[in-house]
Amino acid sequence: MPWVLDGAGARAVDERLEAAGLLDLTMEEAGRAVADAAHAAFPHGAALLLAGGGANGGDAFVAARHLLTLGREVQVLALPSRHPLTRLNRRRWRAVGGVTRALGEAALKRAAPGAGVIVDGLLGTGFRPPLRPALAGVLAALNGARERGVPVLAVDLPSGLTDSLATVPDGAAGADLTVTFMGLKPALLFGAAAARAGQVQLAPLRVPGDWVAAQALAAQPTDAQVAARLPVRGADAHKGVAGRVWIVGGHPGTVGAAGLAGVGALRAGAGLVTVHSAAEVPLLMPELMVHRHADLRSALLGTPVSGRPDALAIGMGLGPDAAALAREVLAWGVPTVLDADALQPELAGCGHDRCVWTPHPGEAARLLGCAAADVTRAPLAAARALHARLGGAVVLKGGPSVVAHAGGLSVSRGGHPGMASGGMGDTLSGVLAALLGQGLGAADAAVVGVRLHARAGERAAARHGYGLSASDVAQELGGAWRDLDAAGLPPHMHPRGVKFP
C-alpha cells in the first residue's frame, strides 16, 4: 500500500531504523535512488548537487558518489554537515576522489550555468519557515537557474516547502522532479505545493512496511486495490437486485443537477434510478424515472418502509428546504449520499454509518465554521475534522480528493484538471449512491466511487481534451469500471475471464 507520511512520521520510522542499525543502509538506498532518477531523467551534462547539513545532505552525498560511478561529471556544493550520517557520507565522497566546495549564493550562481541537472538536497521535511537570509539567497539562485532552463531534482521535498501543507512559503524552491522516500508527503499531493514539486517518484526503499504503516497519515490505494472492492454482479442478476436508487434534488433554476446525478447512478450500475423533485427535471436518459411532486416533503414522508430505496442521494440543486428534507430521510437509516444543499452544519449528529458526505472546500468550510483557505491548506486535517463531526464516510472533493472514514484516510489517484466544471460533483453523488445500492459500505463506496469518477475523467480528457462536461465523464464510467476491474487481474485476463484480443 502506498502511504502518505508527514515529517514527524518519517522521523519516527528513521528512529526505528537507527535503533536497528539500518539507517545507514537506508540512506545508501535513498541516495542511489536519487542518482538513478537523475541519470535517467537528465542524462546529459554535469550533475551539480547541493547538500544541506541534515539527512537530505547525506542523501545528496550518496547520490554524488553513485553518479560519479555512472560516469557523470559531478560537483558538490555543501553547507556544514550536522547529521552524523551526512558527515560519514561526506567522507565517503571524499574517499572516491570527490571534491566538496562551500555552498553560498555566489558559488551556486557560478556553478549552475554548466549543469545538466541540479540536485536539491538542502532542506527536508523538518524545515519550518521562515528561511534564514543566507539560505533564502541560495534558493533564489536555485530558482533562477531553473527559470533559465537548468532542471532541478529535489530530494524528498523541494527545499522550503512545509511537508504537511499545500501552500508555498515565501522563497521555496521549485523542482522538475521530486524523488521522495517511504511515503508521499502531503505537500507533494495538494495545491500549489504539489505543483511546485513537479513530477513525483516514490523510491521503493526496503523498509519494513508495517513500520511505515504505523506512522501513516493516509493511504493511497492502487487501482488493483480499488478493484478488489468493486461490487460483483452474478450472471443471474436482474434490475431488482442491482440497486434501487433515488435521487432527491432539483429546484426551479437548478434542475440539471438532479438529472446529472441520475445519469451517474445509471452509468455506475444501479438497476433502477428514480429522480424525485419539486421541479421539472429534464430526462437526460430515457432509462431514468422522474417524479415531480407538488409537495416533495409529503411525498417522501408518505413512502412506506417497503417502498424505500436501497440507497439515495440528496441535495443536488434541492434548494432551501434541503436540510429539513435530509433530516427526514436520514431517519430512515437507508444508505445516503449528502451533497450540495444538503451539506448543512445543522445536520451534524443526524447521520449514521451508512452516510457519505461529499463537500467541496467551500462546503467543508461551512460545515467546519472556518475559511475555505484553511481547508485547502491542510486537506487531510480538514477531512479528519469533517469525519469527526459528521460520521459515516466523508469525501472532501479536490485534486486529489480525500476520503475520511472510521478506518482512516484515503487519498485518491488521478483525475484531470478539465474536470473543474459544473455538475461533476452531482455525477459523483449518483455514482456513490449506485455503489451503496449495490451493497458496498460507505467507506468502500467512497473510495471506489472517487477513483471510478476520476478514471472516467481521465478517459474523457483523452477523448475530448481539456474542457470537459459532467456528461462527458458520465459516458466514460463504464470504460473506467472495466479499466479498474482489469487492474485487479493478471494482465492477460479480461475481467470476465476472456483473454484480451
Side-chain angles (χ1 to χ4, degrees), residues 223-253:
D223 281 355
Q225 290 164 334
V226 173
R229 308 185 190 193
L230 285 169
V232 177
R233 184 177 295 182
D236 60 345
H238 56 82
K239 63 186 178 184
V241 298
R244 296 172 298 120
V245 171
W246 284 8
I247 306 297
V248 182
H251 189 265

Side-chain angles (χ1 to χ4, degrees), residues 165-449:
L165 300 180
T167 49
V168 177
D170 290 342
D176 301 282
L177 173 64
T178 297
V179 177
T180 197
F181 313 119
M182 293 190 289
L184 297 167
K185 312 309 181 290
L188 302 178
L189 289 166
F190 300 103
R196 188 65 68 96
Q199 181 186 354
V200 176
Q201 290 184 14
L202 179 60
L205 304 185
R206 300 319 192 259
V207 175
D210 56 339
W211 292 10
V212 179
Q215 301 299 329
L217 297 175
Q220 191 179 48
T222 65
D223 281 355
Q225 290 164 334
V226 173
R229 308 185 190 193
L230 285 169
V232 177
R233 184 177 295 182
D236 60 345
H238 56 82
K239 63 186 178 184
V241 298
R244 296 172 298 120
V245 171
W246 284 8
I247 306 297
V248 182
H251 189 265
T254 56
V255 293
L260 289 168
V263 172
L266 280 173
R267 293 291 188 186
L272 294 164
V273 181
T274 306
V275 178
H276 293 274
S277 181
E280 193 68 50
V281 174
L283 192 64
L284 298 182
M285 292 179 67
E287 296 86 353
L288 282 174
M289 294 174 283
V290 179
H291 293 176
R292 181 183 180 186
H293 304 281
D295 187 341
L296 180 58
R297 182 176 183 275
S298 295
L300 293 176
L301 292 180
T303 304
V305 173
S306 60
R308 292 172 183 172
D310 298 312
L312 64 88
I314 185 168
M316 298 71 58
L318 189 52
D321 297 330
L325 290 171
R327 190 185 300 272
E328 300 285 0
V329 300
L330 284 170
W332 296 355
V334 168
T336 300
V337 179
L338 297 104
D339 188 25
D341 295 330
L343 295 169
Q344 301 298 334
E346 58 264 37
L347 293 177
C350 297
H352 47 75
D353 60 7
R354 297 198 287 177
C355 289
V356 181
W357 309 78
T358 63
H360 59 56
E363 292 160 343
R366 182 174 69 216
L367 291 165
L368 293 173
C370 64
D374 295 329
V375 175
T376 57
R377 181 172 179 265
L380 295 179
R384 190 182 298 109
L386 286 164
H387 178 259
R389 181 162 297 187
L390 302 172
V394 174
V395 176
L396 176 56
K397 293 182 288 196
S401 296
V402 180
V403 177
H405 52 87
L409 300 178
S410 173
V411 180
S412 71
R413 293 173 179 269
H416 188 271
M419 297 174 73
S421 64
M424 291 291 173
D426 304 314
T427 303
L428 174 61
S429 291
V431 170
L432 296 170
L435 294 170
L436 291 171
Q438 292 171 78
L440 295 193
D444 282 348
V447 171
V448 171

Side-chain angles (χ1 to χ4, degrees), residues 34-35 37-50 63-64 66-68 70-77 93 99 101 108 110-120 142 145 149-153:
V34 169
H39 192 55
F42 313 109
H44 305 297
L48 173 60
L49 292 97
L50 311 181
H66 283 284
L67 284 166
L68 192 68
L70 289 169
R72 296 292 290 269
E73 180 186 345
V74 181
Q75 300 181 64
V76 176
L77 300 177
W93 165 242
V99 175
R101 293 183 173 85
L108 178 53
R110 285 193 300 271
V117 61
I118 301 175
V119 175
D120 168 15
L142 177 60
V150 182
V152 173
L153 183 154

